[in-house]
Each structure stands twice: as structure tokens, then as C-alpha cells.
Amino acid sequence: MANPALTALDHTGLPYRVIRHGPVASLAEAAAARGVEVPDVVKTIVIRRGEDDLLFVLTPGGRVISWPKLRALLGVSRLSMPDAAAAKDATGYARGTITPFGSSTAWPVVADERLRGREITLGAGEHGLAVAVDADTALAALDATVADVTDEEPTR
């Protein structure tokens, strides 16, 4: 069965490198398995703006969504995250594998500005599978809105 994320990437003509790795239990493990720095492991988070109105937010590893910044950017007073089943229904991907490439619906993309100028890795629709892409080229292909929408992840 074809992988929708890789098929979508092929259709964009965007150069990418496939990275296959085993299970990872942390962001640091994911970075090591992918051979990149922590900020280059990009999380794709599904956000609900309203009924049947979702979007993807791309955040660099080590950072979390700043809800006030994201609400201000989108001009809304409320945002939420759908549960895992709703996210899968909306994207076709299970949590931990979600990517905007090949999603069952092409939801809008917001990307944190810290991704610019880097080679980043994104989930590719399957556990243990990622792709490395030039962030600027990928963000252009996704017609992403790029803004400061994250804060440093709190240390424990």
C-alpha cells in the first residue's frame, strides 16, 4: 500500500530524504535516531479552531504552542486539540505520525518562525518513519503561515 505522505511529497517535487528508525520514547531519542538536533524534530499538531475547522501547527522540538500567540495570530478567542480519534479522522494519520503532507484533508498550516533556514524532519504517516526536508521549501509548498507561535518547553 502506498504511503500517502511520501506520495504527496513526490507530487510536490519537493526533495526529501526518508529516515526509518525504530521506536523512540522521547524527543531526544527521536533526534538521535534521525541524526539531527532536537529543534529539527518537528511536531505536527492538529488544532481545532471551530466545528470542522482544523489546522496544522508545526513546532520545533523543544518548543510548545503558545496559545495566546496562536489565538492572536488566528484572531480567535478559543482553540482546542481534538482527541486522537478525531485527529485521525481529520487527517488519516495516527498521533505520532501526523504530517500535513498527504493528509486526507488539506488543512491550513501554521509554522513557527524558528523553522526557517533549517533542514527539518517531519513524521511521514507511519511510526518509525520520518522525512528530512528543507524547511523553507516545505513551508512554501504547504503555503504555510509562518509566525512566532511557540514558547520554550518548560523544563521538568
Side-chain angles (χ1 to χ4, degrees):
M1 186 168 114
N3 176 307
L6 299 181
T7 300
L9 280 161
D10 288 340
H11 281 108
T12 67
L14 181 71
Y16 65 93
R17 177 173 45 89
V18 174
I19 304 166
R20 294 186 187 278
H21 57 80
V24 295
S26 69
L27 180 60
E29 281 184 27
R34 295 177 183 186
V36 299
E37 299 296 318
V38 166
D40 300 323
V41 176
V42 174
K43 298 172 279 183
T44 302
I45 302 168
V46 180
I47 302 296
R48 180 182 293 118
R49 201 171 10 190
E51 188 67 30
D52 293 323
D53 183 13
L54 303 175
L55 60 123
F56 294 111
V57 178
L58 304 181
T59 65
R63 298 192 67 85
V64 295
I65 291 174
S66 167
W67 295 102
K69 291 176 187 177
L70 186 58
R71 285 193 305 267
L73 175 72
L74 299 173
V76 298
S77 59
R78 288 187 52 127
L79 294 168
S80 63
M81 292 175 57
D83 65 24
K88 183 169 185 180
D89 287 346
T91 66
Y93 297 124
R95 256 201 201 144
T97 72
I98 295 174
T99 176
F101 290 103
S103 173
S104 55
T105 301
W107 301 108
V109 176
V110 173
D112 187 74
E113 66 187 12
R114 290 159 191 84
L115 299 179
R116 287 186 183 138
R118 305 183 71 94
E119 180 182 70
I120 58 172
T121 62
L122 295 163
E126 299 173 23
H127 289 287
L129 184 68
V131 292
V133 296
D134 174 78
D136 297 331
T137 307
L139 297 178
L142 293 166
D143 194 25
T145 299
V146 180
D148 176 10
V149 293
T150 66
D151 292 324
E152 265 189 63
E153 194 166 345
T155 55
R156 296 175 197 217

